Amino acid sequence: MSKSKENLQENLCESNSLCECEIAPNDGKNSYYITTPIYYPSGDWHIGHCYTTVNCDALARYKRCKGYQVIFGTGTDEHGQKVADVAASKGLSTQTHLDERAENIKQLWKILDIEYDMFIRTTDDYHCKAVQEIFLQLYNQGDIYKSNYEGKYCTPCESFWTPAQLVDDCCPDCKRPVIDSCEECYFFRLSRYQDRLLDLISNTDFLAPQSRVNEMVNFIKEGLQDLAVTRSNVKWGIPVPWDEKHTLYVWVDALSNYITMLGYGSDDTTKFDKFWPADLQVVGKEIVRFHTIIWPGILMALKLPLPKKVYGHGWLLLGGDKMSKSKGNTANPFDLVAKYSVDAVRYYLLREVPFGADGAYTLEMFLNRYNTDLVNTYGNLVSRTFAMANQNFDGIISKDDGQCESIDSALVEQIENLPKLVDEFVDNLNLSKALESIINLCQSANKYIDETKPWLLAKQQQSKARLQVVLYNLLQAIKISSQQLSPFLTEKPIQVLKALGFGDGVYRLQTLDKLYDRVDVKSELSKAN
Ligand code: ME8
């Protein structure tokens, strides 16, 4: 376990944490394997990559808190002509370019507090070797055969298309022109698995959200073609072991990462035996087809269990008219974290756009979300309550049974209901709603302050006991909301939990710096312009 992971668990546990009681316990099965796509190191990493990864990280953290043994896997997809071309255009060797990009994304995950357990690079030796084993097995059992490919090829997407799939004679994915391709290559007998794939997608929960199912069903019903899975003119790829003038075409190589990362095809399959099949594979909607048709097709051929769920989330739209070149750096995640904090960036990515849907990213929306929810609601609740508890009780507040009033019960009920509510939202992968419900509790607690007027109670000696009840309830709201926030936001909620000094039913507050600084949106926007 990494140091930071240890600290997190410790802090959570010390503070009567999620893992002990507040998150509903797990369902008896104690392993959980979650993956992101492995990303192409062809351009700069942007907040779209962070979107998937932060969401998976929050889920992984949540599951760890519930007591699951989690493997959260991510990595980089390093083969293909495109990366080789990008390296060449920078005057770098392909390997040098890839090493730099992999280091850079690890740096990004570090500043975003992404606690991955496995990071795979498809140029890793163990992966290349395992992929060759997989390919050989598929060939030996007749799932791979050699033939001539004649059709259309999109070089930027590295995708083969049939003429019927083209849109206006262009690639249906990127809309760029395709070239005629005629070459000898190896094919995967995907057509063999058509009926089973149709059944999988139409009749099970394999693909979510439901809105993506129809498109895949229609695609399969049009008839699945066998798939060209090697190229003969791409040098930067894994060679076909028995026919080295062919290299494996990206998808068989890339998709296999999800099992080679666990040791499949190596001498040590302990992790694979324990963690496969994956519980959740999260991908952007543009690669749902690869993950719900080609990937299960390959697994069926290998006679391996299928992932329990593939979730195709929507896109953060970065190219809206508000994003101009001169503003480009505002969407640079390194800059965003440095300027506005890791909590701010994670919060935006988890809260703003419901997971299945598309949504725009703008600096303005990002800053407003931060100001409204983190500064004005959560941060403000914590600072007001800490200030009053310190002023009136030297920061030591215990539960006083006598003085409960009807205005307290609604807040107490909301506090008690929150863990279950969050749990249900997380189960449905609705992290945005989970966060909304936590911030709602903070809003209610702020309203409770306005209504109970603790500053007036503080003025009279005879209302001191009542003031104590009010502050205790507020600290409970802070404790529960911070616990619930801690898998999502990695910085401040943990500090708050520590500073609450909760033990044996008593809060012994410690010093706590201001959580979040309000940002002047207008001036930030004008600086960015
Ligand atoms: O497709 N909004 O890699 P890739 C939301 N190597 N998510 C986004 C996004 C956006 N604007 N932009 C990127 C590949 N993503 C392959 C995958 S897996 C075996 C191989 C996220 O670098 C989203 O998860 O193009 C998307 O699917 C992925 O990055 C694409 O990353």
Side-chain angles (χ1 to χ4, degrees), residues 235-253:
K235 295 288 161 264
W236 192 256
I238 302 178
V240 172
W242 63 91
D243 193 353
E244 297 223 339
K245 75 174 198 292
H246 296 269
T247 53
L248 283 165
Y249 162 61
V250 285
W251 287 102
V252 175
D253 165 12

Side-chain angles (χ1 to χ4, degrees), residues 37-40 46 48-49 52 77 254 258 284 286-287 313-316:
I38 48 171
Y39 304 112
Y40 285 133
H46 56 72
H49 299 114
T52 317
D77 184 357
Y258 300 126
E286 81 290 355
I287 52 176
H313 67 63
W315 285 340
L316 271 191

Side-chain angles (χ1 to χ4, degrees), residues 233-475:
N233 56 1
V234 174
K235 295 288 161 264
W236 192 256
I238 302 178
V240 172
W242 63 91
D243 193 353
E244 297 223 339
K245 75 174 198 292
H246 296 269
T247 53
L248 283 165
Y249 162 61
V250 285
W251 287 102
V252 175
D253 165 12
L255 289 163
S256 303
N257 94 81
Y258 300 126
I259 51 177
T260 63
M261 173 153 48
L262 298 180
Y264 182 82
S266 78
D267 293 338
D268 182 0
T269 58
T270 329
K271 281 203 182 95
F272 177 77
D273 297 339
K274 181 167 167 65
F275 286 92
W276 189 259
D279 293 84
L280 181 63
Q281 303 213 257
V282 180
V283 300
K285 63 180 182 179
E286 81 290 355
I287 52 176
V288 162
R289 184 155 52 85
F290 300 101
H291 284 79
T292 58
I293 296 178
I294 302 177
W295 179 222
I298 294 172
L299 290 167
M300 284 171 185
L302 292 171
K303 300 178 187 58
L304 291 176
L306 308 180
K308 290 182 198 148
K309 193 173 285 299
V310 171
Y311 191 95
H313 67 63
W315 285 340
L316 271 191
L317 303 170
L318 310 170
D321 52 9
K322 292 230 167 54
M323 294 284 293
S324 64
K325 244 202 165 152
S326 61
K327 275 190 200 168
N329 71 333
T330 57
N332 174 331
F334 287 98
D335 292 345
L336 288 178
V337 172
K339 267 176 122 171
Y340 307 112
S341 82
V342 55
D343 277 3
V345 177
R346 287 179 65 107
Y347 187 75
Y348 179 83
L349 295 174
L350 293 162
R351 168 67 183 90
E352 188 70 30
V353 184
F355 206 34
D358 290 346
Y361 165 85
T362 68
L363 182 61
E364 187 174 7
M365 285 161 80
F366 166 73
L367 295 176
N368 282 334
R369 184 52 83 185
Y370 166 74
N371 275 343
T372 311
D373 291 1
L374 295 190
V375 181
N376 295 353
T377 308
Y378 176 59
N380 199 18
L381 169 67
V382 172
S383 64
R384 289 164 98 186
T385 308
F386 267 59
M388 291 184 292
N390 282 327
Q391 266 161 30
N392 297 292
F393 295 94
D394 290 329
I396 299 179
I397 310 271
S398 54
K399 190 172 165 76
D400 184 332
D401 287 334
Q403 306 251 331
C404 189
E405 293 183 10
S406 59
I407 190 172
D408 305 339
S409 0
L411 183 68
V412 170
E413 200 184 318
Q414 200 177 347
I415 293 171
E416 283 171 357
N417 288 340
L418 186 69
K420 194 163 169 285
L421 197 60
V422 170
D423 205 52
E424 280 166 12
F425 284 132
V426 173
D427 255 3
N428 292 320
L429 302 184
N430 201 339
L431 303 194
S432 168
K433 277 275 176 206
L435 283 170
E436 187 184 342
S437 63
I438 303 170
I439 295 301
N440 278 347
L441 171 63
C442 298
Q443 265 165 4
S444 303
N446 278 322
K447 190 159 162 261
Y448 177 81
I449 297 181
D450 299 340
E451 288 169 359
T452 52
K453 301 188 174 41
W455 57 92
L456 293 184
L457 298 174
K459 284 191 178 149
Q460 293 162 354
Q461 192 51 36
Q462 71 267 30
S463 5
K464 201 98 198 250
R466 173 71 191 141
L467 178 60
Q468 185 173 338
V469 172
V470 167
L471 289 176
Y472 187 85
N473 287 338
L474 289 169
L475 289 169

Side-chain angles (χ1 to χ4, degrees), residues 26-74:
N26 72 44
D27 55 13
K29 169 186 165 296
N30 72 354
S31 72
Y32 187 81
Y33 179 34
I34 177 170
T35 62
T36 70
I38 48 171
Y39 304 112
Y40 285 133
S42 41
D44 285 338
W45 310 118
H46 56 72
I47 57 168
H49 299 114
C50 302
Y51 180 68
T52 317
T53 311
V54 165
N55 274 278
C56 287
D57 180 67
L59 284 162
R61 283 171 180 267
Y62 191 89
K63 293 287 177 183
R64 282 187 204 112
C65 287
K66 278 187 77 167
Y68 286 87
Q69 237 186 307
V70 174
I71 289 191
F72 166 27
T74 188

Side-chain angles (χ1 to χ4, degrees), residues 80-115:
Q81 197 54 47
K82 218 181 330 182
V83 283
D85 291 347
V86 170
S89 73
K90 291 183 170 174
L92 297 172
S93 77
T94 310
Q95 196 58 55
T96 308
H97 165 73
L98 291 174
D99 290 348
E100 186 278 320
R101 291 285 78 204
E103 233 3 85
N104 190 249
I105 202 169
K106 285 183 180 173
Q107 203 49 42
L108 178 57
W109 297 156
K110 190 160 178 220
I111 63 165
L112 276 168
D113 279 335
I114 304 297
E115 285 191 332

